[in-house]
Amino acid sequence: MKYIVISLGGSIISTDKLNLELMEKFSDTVSDIKSYDKFGIVVGGGKLARSYISDLKRYNVNDNILDEIGINATRINALALTTFFDDANSKIPTTINDATEMVHNYRYVIMGGTEPGHTTDTVSTLLAERIGAKILINATSVDGVYSDDPKKNKNAEKFNELSYNDAIDLSIRNSKGAGTNNFMDITSLTIARRAGIKIYVVNGNNMEEYRNILLNGKCNGTIIS
Ligand SMILES: Nc1ncnc2c1ncn2[C@@H]1O[C@H](COP(=O)(O)OP(=O)(O)OP(=O)(O)O)[C@@H](O)[C@H]1O
Ligand SMILES: [Mg+2]
């Protein structure tokens, strides 16, 4: 059995609206590919999560509850995505254990977050580690990992490849400012390093990226290994 995990960033799934066109294209693309037997798909929170969180923050709501609200948003996004697949779970697992059991029953297991303090980046590497997937596609709204946030710094340079250690150093530097976005958090990269999971960070709106990775292991984004 060949396993793969895809982390579908909320930044592409939930923009100003629920991005159903993208969900449909994504499901058509991966359903055509036979080079992998089982897919774990972890969906992020995107604008839905961010809007609830930023509104509630103004009322000094506890961060743990804000995380819980964000997790529920990821699960709504995940449930919406299941409707585009024939052979996927219809109930969203809330733990890595439950998702792992579901992998026996479905070709696609789709989930969101698990618990406060864990991002969906971390959930996706934990799921990959548990089911023995050696490849993780991190599909997001930028086309790779840059020396700095490319949406804020026009001079940032894109990396074709990064070592785990260099990616971790960059993620630490990125996460210093309050409320900054990050390509992946430190915990997720540390799990990937210990499990030897190769990560492809790519623009998730571009279906060619999924095809190229799934069929020949190549991409135009950044490979972390
Ligand atoms: N060094 C960097 N390289 C690439 N992107 C970076 C970097 N630093 C910060 N970013 C920002 O990280 C963002 C991606 O993270 P973000 O959490 O917003 O998206 P996501 O993970 O796809 O969505 P979600 O968290 O909702 O699932 C990019 O839009 C980019 O602006
Ligand atoms: Mg994110």
Side-chain angles (χ1 to χ4, degrees):
M1 282 277 180
K2 275 185 85 182
Y3 298 89
I4 188 161
V5 172
I6 303 177
S7 171
L8 262 194
S11 64
I12 55 172
I13 285 291
S14 164
T15 46
D16 285 329
K17 58 174 181 52
L18 189 58
N19 198 347
L20 298 170
E21 296 80 8
L22 175 79
M23 291 190 183
E24 187 174 35
K25 273 199 289 177
F26 172 75
S27 130
D28 288 347
T29 302
V30 300
S31 298
D32 271 352
I33 285 161
K34 307 287 174 251
S35 50
Y36 286 87
D37 303 298
K38 300 276 184 177
F39 292 72
I41 301 171
V42 182
V43 183
K47 194 123 184 207
L48 180 68
R50 303 272 192 318
S51 77
Y52 269 82
I53 291 169
S54 62
D55 287 350
L56 284 162
K57 252 195 176 149
R58 286 189 271 116
Y59 288 80
N60 296 322
V61 173
N62 175 311
D63 280 333
N64 199 285
I65 296 175
L66 293 180
D67 270 5
E68 201 64 68
I69 284 167
I71 289 164
N72 278 283
T74 65
R75 290 181 183 153
I76 297 178
N77 291 339
L79 191 56
L81 183 67
T82 63
T83 65
F84 289 90
F85 287 87
D86 290 331
D87 190 3
N89 49 307
S90 51
K91 204 174 145 194
I92 301 303
T94 58
T95 64
I96 298 290
N97 279 334
D98 288 351
T100 304
E101 288 196 352
M102 282 185 185
V103 168
H104 300 298
N105 299 325
Y106 304 98
R107 179 162 145 90
Y108 304 96
V109 172
I110 303 174
M111 70 187 299
T114 54
E115 57 192 302
H118 277 185
T119 64
T120 47
D121 291 333
T122 294
V123 171
S124 62
T125 51
L126 287 170
L127 180 63
E129 180 179 48
R130 176 65 74 83
I131 65 177
K134 289 293 174 195
I135 305 278
L136 168 69
I137 303 179
N138 191 300
T140 186
S141 53
V142 288
D143 65 356
V145 182
Y146 285 73
S147 54
D148 194 7
D149 187 339
K151 287 188 181 158
K152 292 181 188 146
N153 179 356
K154 290 278 169 272
N155 297 318
E157 284 176 38
K158 188 167 126 185
F159 298 107
N160 295 323
E161 286 180 36
L162 271 175
S163 67
Y164 293 120
N165 288 343
D166 287 344
I168 290 168
D169 286 346
L170 184 61
S171 181
I172 291 170
R173 266 183 276 135
N174 263 351
S175 58
K176 281 196 174 138
T180 47
N181 292 77
N182 209 344
F183 63 98
M184 282 181 84
D185 66 288
I186 304 150
T187 312
S188 66
L189 292 165
T190 308
I191 305 287
R193 179 176 63 183
R194 80 174 183 190
I197 299 160
K198 189 175 193 176
I199 306 169
Y200 293 81
V201 181
V202 296
N203 178 350
N205 288 301
N206 181 356
M207 297 301 127
E208 277 309 305
E209 290 286 55
Y210 302 105
R211 270 189 220 106
N212 279 333
I213 297 166
L214 295 168
L215 296 173
N216 53 46
K218 296 205 160 61
C219 75
N220 288 314
T222 304
I223 298 178
I224 304 171
S225 63

